[in-house]
Amino acid sequence: MEDDERPRKYPKLSNGEGQEDMEPTMTGAVVSVPHEDIAQTTTNDVATVANGEDHTSKSEQQNGEEENTEDAPKMSKNQLKKLRRREHWDAQKDLRKSLRKEKTAAKKQRRRAALDEARKEGGKEAAAELLKTWMPNRQKFKQSTLLPITMIIDCGYDDLMLEKERISLSAQLTRSYSDNRGAPYRSHLVFSSFNKLLKERFDTTLAKTHHQWKGIRIMEEDFAQAAEQAKEWMKEPKGGQLAGMFADKTDAKPEDGEVVYLSSDSPDTLTELKPYSTYIIGGLVDKNRHKAICYKRAVEKGIKTAKLPIGEYIQMASRQVLATNHVAEIMIRWLELGDWGEAFMKVIPRRKGGTLIDSERGSEDPSHCDDATGAGSDDDPEPVEEQDATAVPSTSS
């Protein structure tokens, strides 16, 4: 009876059973959090990320500055001196302009005095002869005679030269053009391999003045290709006359012409210039760093080589090294005079102290020309140290 009245005890439930009876909790369920706490947490996270990015960007910027500082080339004392000299040269441009004007005015005054003296002594005829010597090259060009002969200046060495050497060579090329244009008997003139740093200088610093030149061919092809083309244009009706030193060579034929690369390292010596022939001059100013490079290049192309007969006519007080424009002018003079000795004496600079070996003419005073570095164009030349080009022929290239 007591068992019936006593309330029944409920059995204890185990933990596993309790989990089964309870409602399942969803994985990843979001626990309810007050709105203010959410806002505060988000603000803190954003600030932390921003501070991290700012710190990273500053670190990267500092690292970049350090790398740029390390990569920046450091200038040597020699480079700094060159830079200061160039800046000084540029700063004196106006002064050089005024000095040129003064020099031109003084030259005109001297010419007036010389003309008046010529009129007093020889009359109008003497004055007319004097005026002919002062004739501008553009007028001389109209009166000059083109001969069937070609001179090629090989400009394929400009990447072997220093900047100051390219500056000197550009002046020498300008002088060579001027000498040929003003000569009474001129040749076909060609600049070959004119497609690298030298061309860049003429196009920029010298303001493309070479585009206005007349009686010259400026080519990107090398000297061998230029020589092949020269054979064709010398055959043309306007390819040149057999005049001057070629006047007695009326039986000369185009196929008798030859191609010769002038080099002081050649075992052969040039005795005369022949009609319908092409003579190649190496355009190189290198202080004799590249030994026999012109000779080697000619041999590789299978082209005949020869050297000017300097030692047979001239006793030199210094090295037999001539600039490119000197070699070109000597050949132009030979076309006019037909005498190597006279041609050498009229061209070789005084500082080389050349005298004729011929005893009968050894006491003659040579008529000297100026150095090539003063040659020019209407633009201001840049500063160049006085130097001898090893450009052929003599003792180098």
Side-chain angles (χ1 to χ4, degrees):
M1 182 82 183
E2 291 178 359
D3 295 336
D4 294 339
E5 292 178 356
R6 182 178 294 177
R8 186 179 178 180
K9 294 181 180 179
Y10 292 98
K12 293 182 179 181
L13 299 177
S14 63
N15 292 334
E17 294 175 348
Q19 290 293 335
E20 292 176 358
D21 294 339
M22 293 176 64
E23 292 184 358
T25 303
M26 295 180 64
T27 303
V30 180
V31 180
S32 176
V33 180
H35 179 69
E36 295 178 356
D37 293 342
I38 293 173
Q40 183 66 29
T41 302
T42 304
T43 304
N44 293 337
D45 291 342
V46 171
T48 302
V49 172
N51 291 333
E53 291 179 352
D54 184 57
H55 179 71
T56 303
S57 63
K58 289 182 179 179
S59 300
E60 292 177 353
Q61 184 176 2
Q62 292 176 355
N63 292 335
E65 291 177 354
E66 291 177 359
E67 291 178 359
N68 292 336
T69 304
E70 294 176 356
D71 295 339
K74 295 181 180 179
M75 299 184 69
S76 64
K77 291 183 178 180
N78 191 27
Q79 289 173 327
L80 287 172
K81 288 180 181 179
K82 289 181 179 179
L83 180 61
R84 292 192 188 101
R85 283 201 299 267
R86 179 56 60 90
E87 291 174 350
H88 180 69
W89 173 266
D90 293 337
Q92 290 188 324
K93 184 176 181 179
D94 294 337
L95 176 60
R96 292 195 303 274
K97 185 176 181 180
S98 62
L99 290 176
R100 281 198 305 273
K101 288 183 178 179
E102 294 177 3
K103 188 176 179 180
T104 302
K107 183 178 179 180
K108 289 181 178 179
Q109 186 174 0
R110 289 196 305 270
R111 286 191 170 185
R112 290 193 195 99
L115 191 61
D116 291 340
E117 185 177 354
R119 284 171 180 165
K120 291 179 182 178
E121 295 180 356
K124 293 182 179 181
E125 294 182 358
E129 289 296 326
L130 184 61
L131 288 173
K132 286 182 180 180
T133 62
W134 298 340
M135 188 182 300
N137 276 352
R138 59 179 176 272
Q139 295 183 17
K140 291 180 181 179
F141 177 76
K142 295 178 180 179
Q143 299 180 9
S144 66
T145 302
L146 177 65
L147 303 182
I149 187 173
T150 300
M151 279 196 304
I152 298 176
I153 298 181
D154 179 13
C155 302
Y157 306 96
D158 66 347
D159 54 343
L160 301 178
M161 293 181 286
L162 304 175
E163 181 184 2
K164 66 178 182 180
E165 293 169 343
R166 282 192 294 273
I167 292 172
S168 179
L169 180 60
S170 64
Q172 293 177 25
L173 294 178
T174 304
R175 181 65 174 265
S176 299
Y177 161 74
S178 178
D179 290 338
N180 187 61
R181 184 185 180 187
Y185 297 100
R186 56 188 171 87
S187 72
H188 295 274
L189 183 62
V190 181
F191 294 168
S192 66
S193 298
F194 196 80
N195 54 5
K196 289 181 285 188
L197 299 174
L198 198 61
K199 178 180 184 299
E200 181 181 346
R201 171 171 169 75
F202 271 86
D203 287 343
T204 55
T205 306
L206 300 181
K208 299 183 179 181
T209 53
H210 61 293
H211 290 176
Q212 302 173 6
W213 292 356
K214 297 180 180 179
I216 184 173
R217 290 176 173 87
I218 300 178
M219 308 169 60
E220 295 186 359
E221 293 82 358
D222 67 5
F223 63 89
Q225 293 174 297
E228 287 299 318
Q229 296 183 38
K231 294 178 182 179
E232 299 301 322
W233 65 57
M234 286 189 289
K235 294 179 183 178
E236 298 174 357
K238 295 183 179 180
Q241 306 176 30
L242 292 172
M245 296 309 302
F246 296 159
D248 60 344
K249 300 185 182 296
T250 55
D251 56 344
K253 299 178 181 179
E255 53 268 23
D256 296 334
E258 58 184 3
V259 179
V260 181
Y261 203 122
L262 297 176
S263 172
S264 61
D265 296 286
S266 175
D268 301 320
T269 301
L270 192 68
T271 57
E272 63 175 351
L273 304 182
K274 299 179 181 180
Y276 302 108
S277 296
T278 298
Y279 299 92
I280 306 167
I281 304 171
L284 178 63
V285 181
D286 69 339
K287 288 291 184 181
N288 208 22
R289 290 193 308 273
H290 304 284
K291 303 291 185 180
I293 187 171
C294 296
Y295 176 73
K296 293 176 182 177
R297 184 167 292 190
V299 172
E300 289 174 359
K301 294 284 187 178
I303 292 178
K304 180 181 177 181
T305 63
K307 58 187 174 184
L308 291 179
I310 297 179
E312 298 179 10
Y313 291 87
I314 300 293
Q315 179 66 44
M316 302 290 289
S318 61
R319 294 185 306 155
Q320 295 182 6
V321 179
L322 299 179
T324 300
N325 66 293
H326 291 156
V327 179
E329 187 179 359
I330 286 170
M331 298 175 69
I332 293 168
R333 290 286 188 176
W334 188 92
L335 293 176
E336 176 186 357
L337 304 170
D339 186 296
W340 286 117
E342 290 186 27
F344 289 141
M345 295 307 296
K346 286 183 177 295
V347 174
I348 293 177
R350 180 181 291 108
R351 56 188 167 82
K352 289 188 174 291
T355 56
L356 284 173
I357 293 177
D358 189 344
S359 59
E360 295 180 359
R361 295 154 60 180
S363 61
E364 290 184 5
D365 293 331
S367 175
H368 299 285
C369 72
D370 295 331
D371 291 348
T373 52
S377 78
D378 294 334
D379 299 282
D380 294 341
E382 297 185 23
V384 185
E385 296 179 11
E386 181 178 291
Q387 55 189 314
D388 290 334
T390 56
V392 263
S394 297
T395 56
S396 66
S397 316

